[in-house]
Amino acid sequence: MQSNDNAGAAAGQWSSRFAFLMAAIGSSVGLGNIWKFPYMIGTGGGSAFMLVYLICVLAVGLPILIAELTLGRMGRQGPIETLVELGHRYSGRATWGLVGCVGVLAAVLILSFYSVVAGWSLAYIPKLLMGGMTGLSGAETGKAFDDFLADPLALTFWHALFMLLTIIPVARGIQSGIEKAVVWMMPLLFALLVVLCIYAGIEGDFTAGMVYLFKPDFGAVTWDVVLAATGQAFFSLSIGLGTMLAYGAYLPGGVSIPRTSVVIVFAAILTAVLAGAAIFPIVFANGLNPSEGPGLVFVTLTVAFGAMPGGAIFGAVFFVLLAIAALTSSVSLLEPIVAAFAGRVRLSRSALAWIGGIVAWVLGFLTLFSFNIWSDVHPFGGTRTWFDWIDFLTSNILLPLGGVMLALFAGWVVTRQDSVAAVGFESPFFYSLWRLLVRVVAPIGVVAAVVTNFF
Ligand code: PHE
């Protein structure tokens, strides 16, 4: 019993539940799970990080994802409009729209660095294919990666190419552009990750890798770890900035949001764990440094590909798939930006996609130079480069706080009666649990994690 079924016609809808699911999984599974998660485990305390991440994803991320998709489907418009309208309806205030504005800012900032890193992945496709990485040791792949990062011109090319690949489907519209790619590429990516895990299990130091990932180490749980893991939970699920609001707006009324959300969360966790299980055994078997940082995936997996039969092909395919996983996420970053402005300004969808993409591309140079000519520039003191700041601001501040606002909105502002119908839990128990999580647990937990960071 959805109250807004008919309103969806104007906004367009996903052609099926499966298409929506693939797009939503495509959004959440991306560089965050395969590139960022493993290196954050490495720099953030190993299994302690893993533990907190899992708790955050289940207790905070899942309920907020449900809230965000529900609000999106209730509003059926761009993220800002949805919040303005629902804010009006339930509280008489349109200021809720500000949450959507902050989300758009976060989306532009994330897209800016996302495209740079996804560009690395594109660059690795020909590098592997042409056999340039075959038979290299860990130290050699590390050096190859450093040399690559030291060349701003090459990075600019790949950054531009990736942004172009993002703009085109968004400019063409949700169904014709986004859906087609995700439906068959995501399953392929999973399959390849499994192959890599098997390789790591045979050739790598599997036990050391597993211990590193899973042996509980409660002593290592500090507030820094908690905040980083919270931020990663939001980033990896694509919540807190309006992506899921925008995708929820195209969701047919009959689809169960709670069930779909569980599948999305499961896919995000699974990919992250598979990536970790593929990478760390190789790290330990080759004497590499687990806290290597953003280069971790590129350095470790190329060792594996370089050593296995047919590795040049496998490796190239892997980086193609990683780039595609990144693309289905970057598209979901550009989509809410376009949706936020469409109807507000007299520009076509396609023009907005180009403008949004170009703005993010230009901003991307802050990140691009952070790995070479500006690697010693620490804009606000301390040790953080521009990239570190943009990453910190978005993942650890903007997304968590945006997510909390959405949780509060869905939990306190929307009436109980309306939210029961809109969320669509089959069991009253799970509805009450969800409501408790979005009203109390998630807001308190997340605000505590963010605030303690300032002291
Ligand atoms: N979830 C994506 C990833 O893990 C990144 C993303 C964040 C996409 C926020 C959209 C919105 O790679």
Side-chain angles (χ1 to χ4, degrees):
M1 272 193 309
Q2 296 305 320
S3 48
N4 288 305
D5 270 7
N6 299 332
Q13 287 195 352
W14 302 103
S15 54
S16 64
R17 172 174 186 266
F18 181 72
F20 164 74
L21 201 59
M22 284 299 126
I25 293 178
S27 168
S28 69
V29 173
L31 296 174
N33 317 59
I34 299 168
W35 160 73
K36 200 171 176 202
F37 179 76
Y39 89 74
M40 291 201 70
I41 289 200
T43 51
S47 55
F49 183 93
M50 174 73 114
L51 187 74
V52 185
Y53 170 76
L54 289 178
I55 295 173
C56 285
V57 164
L58 294 175
V60 174
L62 176 59
I64 293 185
L65 174 61
I66 293 175
E68 206 175 317
L69 287 172
T70 304
L71 292 173
R73 186 162 70 181
M74 290 175 82
R76 291 268 187 230
Q77 296 169 54
I80 299 178
E81 250 83 24
T82 285
L83 290 172
V84 168
E85 193 197 298
L86 296 179
H88 236 289
R89 189 185 312 163
Y90 290 104
S91 70
R93 267 185 236 119
T95 33
W96 283 100
L98 284 177
V99 177
C101 299
V102 175
V104 170
L105 175 73
V108 176
L109 289 172
I110 294 178
L111 183 56
S112 79
F113 74 77
Y114 211 85
S115 166
V116 172
V117 177
W120 301 349
S121 180
L122 286 179
Y124 263 58
I125 300 167
K127 274 188 203 300
L128 273 109
L129 202 58
M130 290 177 329
M133 297 277 177
T134 309
L136 298 190
S137 68
E140 286 163 337
T141 58
K143 170 144 190 335
F145 184 69
D146 290 344
D147 291 347
F148 168 59
L149 286 194
D151 180 358
L153 218 62
L155 299 184
T156 302
F157 171 77
W158 295 109
H159 172 41
L161 181 62
F162 186 81
M163 194 60 90
L164 203 67
L165 292 174
T166 303
I167 294 172
I168 292 170
V170 176
R172 290 180 57 188
I174 199 90
Q175 280 197 6
S176 49
I178 300 176
E179 264 188 43
K180 291 220 171 72
V182 284
V183 287
W184 62 275
M185 289 163 176
M186 300 312 293
L188 202 58
L189 180 71
F190 279 112
L192 214 71
L193 272 176
V194 171
V195 171
L196 279 171
C197 286
I198 295 171
Y199 172 84
I202 298 170
E203 294 291 327
D205 189 342
F206 200 65
T207 323
M210 288 299 118
V211 167
Y212 188 72
L213 279 178
F214 293 114
K215 186 162 175 256
D217 181 5
F218 299 104
V221 179
T222 61
W223 277 109
D224 277 354
V225 171
V226 172
L227 180 63
T230 309
Q232 175 63 11
F234 282 83
F235 187 83
S236 70
L237 295 179
S238 306
I239 51 176
L241 82 173
T243 284
M244 291 298 173
L245 271 180
Y247 274 17
Y250 309 119
L251 191 55
V255 173
S256 161
I257 289 181
R259 277 165 196 263
T260 314
S261 303
V262 169
V263 178
I264 298 171
V265 165
F266 181 72
I269 294 177
L270 186 69
T271 350
V273 169
L274 284 179
I279 288 171
F280 287 106
I282 299 175
V283 167
F284 293 114
N286 289 278
L288 294 167
N289 179 5
S291 44
E292 147 92 34
L296 189 64
V297 177
F298 296 88
V299 172
T300 52
L301 293 188
T302 28
V303 176
F305 291 127
M308 62 170 84
I313 306 279
F314 267 132
V317 172
F318 175 81
F319 284 107
V320 169
L321 292 173
L322 182 58
I324 290 163
L327 192 62
T328 54
S329 302
S330 63
V331 153
S332 78
L333 285 160
L334 189 52
E335 173 61 28
I337 303 173
V338 170
F341 287 99
R344 233 165 237 282
V345 290
R346 287 180 40 204
L347 286 171
S348 66
R349 175 182 181 89
S350 153
L352 287 171
W354 280 96
I355 296 171
I358 290 171
V359 169
W361 183 75
V362 172
L363 268 177
F365 282 90
L366 292 174
T367 292
L368 199 153
F369 291 145
S370 294
F371 292 97
N372 37 66
I373 55 177
W374 290 351
S375 60
D376 290 328
V377 175
H378 306 295
F380 306 102
T383 54
R384 289 199 179 105
T385 59
W386 275 110
F387 162 67
D388 296 330
W389 273 110
I390 296 173
D391 178 29
F392 176 79
L393 178 70
T394 50
S395 285
N396 293 8
I397 313 264
L398 296 181
L399 299 192
L401 294 184
V404 165
M405 296 307 283
L406 294 173
L408 292 174
F409 187 78
W412 294 93
V413 181
V414 176
T415 58
R416 187 185 170 99
Q417 197 190 6
D418 283 8
S419 80
V420 171
V423 185
F425 274 107
E426 280 152 32
S427 118
F429 169 76
F430 281 120
Y431 174 77
S432 301
L433 178 64
W434 170 77
R435 202 162 145 90
L436 177 73
L437 290 171
V438 285
R439 294 182 109 195
V440 183
V441 178
I444 294 181
V446 171
V447 170
V450 172
V451 169
T452 47
N453 196 260
F454 290 101
F455 298 103

